[in-house]
Amino acid sequence: ARSSSLEGSLKYKNIFGYGDIWDGSLAYGCDHSAEVGLGMYLPRFRGRPTPFTSRVYLSTQEWLKFSSYKERALGLSLGLIASKYHELVYTTAWRNLVDPSQMASTSIRRQLGHNLVSALKYTFKFDKRNSPLRPTRGYSFISTSQIGGLAPDSRTLRFLRQEVDLRYAVPLGFYRAALNFGVSGG
């Protein structure tokens, strides 16, 4: 699959003097996908030992080429726990799926219309690379577990998702060159 996108963001730092970061972002994909988001990061919120993050977003995605449906979601994401190795995020979104081509699979047709996505996502990260952007040696491991359907509504989307990502960088010994290997699945 091919895709390209145009993305932009604007950040304001330390507006209230607490090390806070406020940001707005806009992304548009040439495959007719778009996302607008507003977020905040507070390093110390009411004496909590971990930073507090939140994000409000509106996204649209068009999957007509591969799966015959369009998706629109309006959501809120709250970062509950964040540390060096662990992250726990709660996301809730009101989602709408439509099938304009009337050719979607039966599993997609069962989800058409409005439904609520309420999910808790836990991420474990272990990164021993010398650089996360352009590593020349080391390895990293990321495991993400997500459980959906936490709201007591019959229209809540219920799911379990597990993803694993493993990266390894081998130095070649000249010009800071390296071979990077990666495998991920879920």
Side-chain angles (χ1 to χ4, degrees):
R2 287 187 304 216
S3 68
S4 57
S5 64
L6 179 63
E7 301 177 18
S9 66
L10 184 62
K11 289 187 180 189
Y12 290 105
K13 296 183 179 182
N14 210 19
I15 293 175
F16 299 110
Y18 298 107
D20 49 326
I21 300 173
W22 299 79
D23 72 278
S25 63
L26 178 65
Y28 178 78
C30 292
D31 56 351
H32 302 289
S33 64
E35 181 169 339
V36 176
L38 297 170
M40 65 177 240
Y41 169 87
L42 299 172
R44 301 250 186 245
F45 182 68
R46 297 190 180 247
R48 290 175 37 140
T50 62
F52 176 76
T53 60
S54 67
R55 182 156 208 77
V56 176
Y57 64 91
L58 173 65
S59 70
T60 60
Q61 295 181 343
E62 189 174 287
W63 298 100
L64 293 174
K65 188 174 181 180
F66 299 107
S67 299
S68 301
Y69 70 91
K70 290 182 179 181
E71 176 182 13
R72 177 174 287 153
L74 173 64
L76 171 68
S77 178
L78 299 173
L80 303 175
I81 297 172
S83 68
K84 183 177 180 181
Y85 299 114
H86 308 281
E87 185 176 89
L88 186 64
V89 176
Y90 174 74
T91 302
T92 184
W94 189 251
R95 186 179 84 157
N96 183 25
L97 286 183
V98 293
D99 179 15
S101 66
Q102 303 291 319
M103 296 180 63
S105 66
T106 53
S107 64
I108 296 295
R109 275 189 246 150
R110 276 187 253 134
Q111 298 178 35
L112 289 178
H114 295 277
N115 50 21
L116 181 67
V117 177
S118 174
L120 197 61
K121 180 169 80 170
Y122 169 73
T123 304
F124 173 74
K125 299 179 208 173
F126 188 75
D127 196 346
K128 290 293 183 182
R129 298 175 297 177
N130 61 343
S131 168
L133 298 177
R134 194 168 162 228
T136 57
R137 68 176 177 281
Y139 60 93
S140 73
F141 172 77
I142 300 173
S143 172
T144 303
S145 304
Q146 192 171 8
I147 181 169
L150 301 177
D153 186 4
S154 63
R155 292 178 292 182
T156 301
L157 186 63
R158 300 184 192 292
F159 62 90
L160 290 171
R161 182 179 296 151
Q162 176 66 45
E163 298 173 359
V164 176
D165 184 69
L166 182 61
R167 306 281 171 189
Y168 187 71
V170 179
L172 294 178
F174 58 91
Y175 297 119
R176 290 187 33 87
L179 283 176
N180 285 277
F181 298 99
V183 62
S184 61

